[in-house]
Amino acid sequence: MIGKKIRLPHDWSVEASFDSITGEGATGYLPGGIGEYKKEFPLKLATDQMAYVVFDGVYNNATVSLNGKELGFHPYGYSPFYFDISSKLKSDNTLNTLTVNVDRTRYVDSRWYSGSGIYRNVDLNVKNKLHIPIWGTFVTTPKVSDNLSEVSIEVNVTNAYDKEKAIEVFTEIFDGNGVSVGQQSSEIVINSNNTSKITQLLSVKNTKLWDVDNPYIYKAVTSVVQNGKILDTQKTPFGIRTFRFDANEGFFLNGKNRKIKGVCLHHDAGMVGAAVPKGVWKRRLNKLKEAGCNAIRISHNPGSQEFLDLCDEMGFLVQDEFFDEWDNPKDKRMNMNEQSVDSITRGYSVHFQEWAEKDLKNTVMAHRNHPSIIQWSIGNEIEWTYPRNSDATGFFNNMHWSGNYFWELPPNSPEQINEQLQNLPKGKYDIGQTAKKISRLGT
């Protein structure tokens, strides 16, 4: 595919032929390889402007450059990320060249079909130097009732000027028909080259709650205003709902006990590969609704913004998952802990120590306003990659046990497991310590 014109999102692997000889079944017998994307575009910023390029997902090991100058590297294929490109834009009227190099030569780096390339959307955001940064709004609902609900909106504002600036932050909430149902204004002084946070509390009367049967969406429109002029605006769709889990009675949404009737969905969609058009997702989700499904677990990685938008709009409960590997790698071919070192099967565990915190925080920041999300999953099938813990339970490498790992109690009792954990040799990493560390990052 030399010099080929494409439209984003794009997955180059799905365009190739299946290869059962040199390919690998773990990733669908389709190739990986190296790809380079180039985009030329005109953009000359005014003295009061900045620009960001935002990627919803690139699979994987992406190196992004602008006009021959590297912006940065991003290894994880599923987390969103962005770069400030302001200083590397051309100052004349010639075209800028954005280059994204994708290295997926480790083509068995997953246990399912991952796709290759810029398979999710890319946005170019031009903003005033006084602006709401990327993922800079956070909506919560501290009090919820049919009559009156409180909506808390946390707003970050960045001042990239060399002088402090006095501004007004104005937020207005609109219902599903575009009618204004609440507004608030706040004044703030921001130091030079700094970011400040403010919280606004608004009331919404006659609240329409977000529910799986009636997924009602409100929209918060937040503006940065100076001397009566709007400098930046951020629109944040959100839902008003409550949910809780009870150990004895189950799950409650808006005070009603509900059964979570869910499925696990990977990020690809058959013939279209990983670059899934929104219409394909809508059709699939409609079919699931017709079958009685009301929940999705995104397996086994963060979903796209388009997918989550549809879950918000169509009324699905979502468990958003972060990782399929932590400290230790998996054997993708055998679906178990790694048996031998093979470079083409090395996945996210290679980058976990350095990148897990950034990837998790980026994902939470980007996805936190979706009313569909009721759970975050820190990892999938992680326990058997830690030999000490997998041996202690008796689930694994146990020739005398014929039960099923997924729905039966471990063959070893709690006392036996504790004894084993005391006596078995410790590895470099401990699953419990890593789990606690990851869980704290999301709070």
Side-chain angles (χ1 to χ4, degrees):
M1 294 188 293
I2 299 176
K4 180 179 179 180
K5 290 185 177 181
I6 56 98
R7 288 185 63 185
L8 298 180
H10 174 252
D11 171 10
W12 80 64
S13 290
V14 79
E15 298 176 0
S17 299
F18 294 101
D19 187 346
S20 62
I21 306 302
T22 61
E24 285 291 342
T27 45
Y29 295 112
L30 287 170
I34 293 177
E36 183 180 76
Y37 295 86
K38 285 189 176 181
K39 172 68 176 179
E40 292 185 330
F41 61 98
L43 180 59
K44 184 179 179 181
L45 297 178
T47 56
D48 62 351
Q49 289 182 319
M50 298 180 65
Y52 300 90
V53 60
V54 186
F55 296 88
D56 198 26
V58 181
Y59 205 91
N60 58 357
N61 298 312
T63 301
V64 183
S65 302
L66 181 64
N67 298 323
K69 299 175 183 177
E70 185 174 319
L71 296 169
F73 173 67
H74 188 81
Y76 194 31
Y78 299 108
S79 60
F81 61 103
Y82 67 90
F83 297 107
D84 177 354
I85 64 173
S86 310
S87 63
K88 294 180 174 59
L89 287 165
K90 292 184 178 180
S91 57
D92 54 21
N93 292 317
T94 58
L95 293 176
N96 296 279
T97 302
L98 183 70
T99 306
V100 182
N101 287 285
V102 181
D103 181 357
R104 202 182 152 238
T105 49
R106 287 175 168 165
Y107 60 93
V108 202
D109 57 353
S110 183
R111 300 187 296 146
W112 53 81
Y113 178 76
S114 66
S116 300
I118 307 177
Y119 72 107
R120 291 182 182 173
N121 288 324
V122 183
D123 293 319
L124 176 64
N125 292 346
V126 177
K127 291 177 171 285
N128 189 280
K129 287 185 177 180
L130 271 170
H131 64 275
I132 299 168
I134 307 299
W135 314 322
T137 58
F138 182 29
V139 180
T140 56
T141 51
K143 292 183 180 180
V144 175
S145 74
D146 292 333
N147 295 325
L148 182 70
S149 296
E150 287 186 358
V151 178
S152 175
I153 302 180
E154 182 183 284
V155 184
N156 287 305
V157 182
T158 293
N159 174 17
Y161 287 99
D162 292 330
K163 297 179 180 179
E164 71 175 23
K165 298 289 183 178
I167 61 166
E168 174 193 0
V169 177
F170 178 76
T171 296
E172 191 166 15
I173 294 177
F174 297 90
D175 67 12
N177 296 316
V179 177
S180 176
V181 294
Q183 60 185 42
Q184 185 173 326
S185 177
S186 307
E187 294 183 352
I188 184 174
V189 175
I190 310 177
N191 292 332
S192 62
N193 298 306
N194 206 344
T195 297
S196 294
K197 181 190 300 181
I198 66 166
T199 300
Q200 297 178 318
L201 193 63
L202 296 88
S203 297
V204 176
K205 297 178 181 178
N206 302 317
T207 311
K208 295 179 175 62
L209 301 183
W210 186 94
D211 191 271
V212 293
D213 298 323
N214 181 33
Y216 197 89
I217 302 294
Y218 290 89
K219 183 181 291 183
V221 180
T222 304
S223 299
V224 177
V225 183
Q226 188 181 48
N227 299 324
K229 181 182 178 182
I230 296 176
L231 304 181
D232 189 35
T233 298
Q234 177 67 45
K235 298 177 181 178
T236 310
F238 69 97
I240 300 175
R241 82 284 189 262
T242 64
F243 65 87
R244 65 183 177 91
F245 292 88
D246 185 276
N248 297 314
E249 298 182 72
F251 174 72
F252 289 79
L253 180 64
N254 298 325
K256 291 183 183 178
N257 183 249
R258 281 192 175 273
K259 298 294 184 186
I260 297 176
K261 302 174 183 178
V263 299
C264 297
L265 283 185
H266 283 250
H267 72 294
D268 66 310
M271 292 186 296
V272 300
V276 185
K278 193 171 183 179
V280 171
W281 278 130
K282 190 168 186 177
R283 178 183 179 277
R284 295 181 77 186
L285 292 175
N286 272 323
K287 292 291 184 182
L288 287 170
K289 271 282 184 177
E290 292 171 7
C293 175
N294 66 10
I296 307 290
R297 173 194 173 208
I298 305 177
S299 313
H300 304 283
N301 39 257
S304 69
Q305 288 289 358
E306 281 193 328
F307 182 83
L308 290 169
D309 287 343
L310 283 172
C311 290
D312 293 343
E313 296 162 13
M314 299 175 70
F316 284 93
L317 306 169
V318 171
Q319 176 178 290
D320 203 358
E321 200 154 71
F322 293 120
F323 308 117
D324 189 56
E325 285 185 323
W326 290 355
D327 303 299
N328 302 321
K330 295 178 179 178
D331 188 326
K332 281 72 177 179
R333 297 185 181 96
M334 301 297 292
N335 200 32
M336 57 194 300
N337 59 308
E338 191 175 55
Q339 304 299 296
S340 61
V341 176
D342 187 349
S343 63
I344 63 171
T345 68
R346 287 301 174 101
Y348 186 66
S349 65
V350 173
H351 304 286
F352 181 80
Q353 297 300 320
E354 180 181 356
W355 284 90
E357 179 174 354
K358 185 176 181 62
D359 288 325
L360 186 148
K361 287 183 175 179
N362 275 7
T363 301
V364 170
M365 292 278 285
H367 294 180
R368 58 187 176 174
N369 292 312
H370 289 281
S372 55
I373 296 177
I374 60 167
Q375 288 182 317
W376 303 89
S377 166
I378 60 175
N380 170 64
E381 295 177 347
I382 300 294
E383 64 279 13
W384 43 262
T385 65
Y386 295 80
R388 174 170 168 264
N389 297 83
S390 64
D391 290 345
T393 63
F395 273 133
F396 309 94
N397 304 319
N398 185 351
M399 296 177 62
H400 303 289
W401 187 64
S402 59
N404 191 294
Y405 157 69
F406 290 101
W407 56 73
E408 294 191 26
L409 293 173
N412 292 346
S413 67
E415 292 76 21
Q416 289 173 315
I417 292 173
N418 285 329
E419 182 180 352
Q420 291 273 41
L421 290 174
Q422 296 300 319
N423 296 324
L424 287 169
K426 294 184 177 181
K428 183 178 181 180
Y429 302 107
D430 179 85
I431 187 173
Q433 292 177 2
T434 299
K436 288 179 181 178
K437 180 173 66 176
I438 298 174
S439 297
R440 285 195 295 267
L441 291 176
T443 58

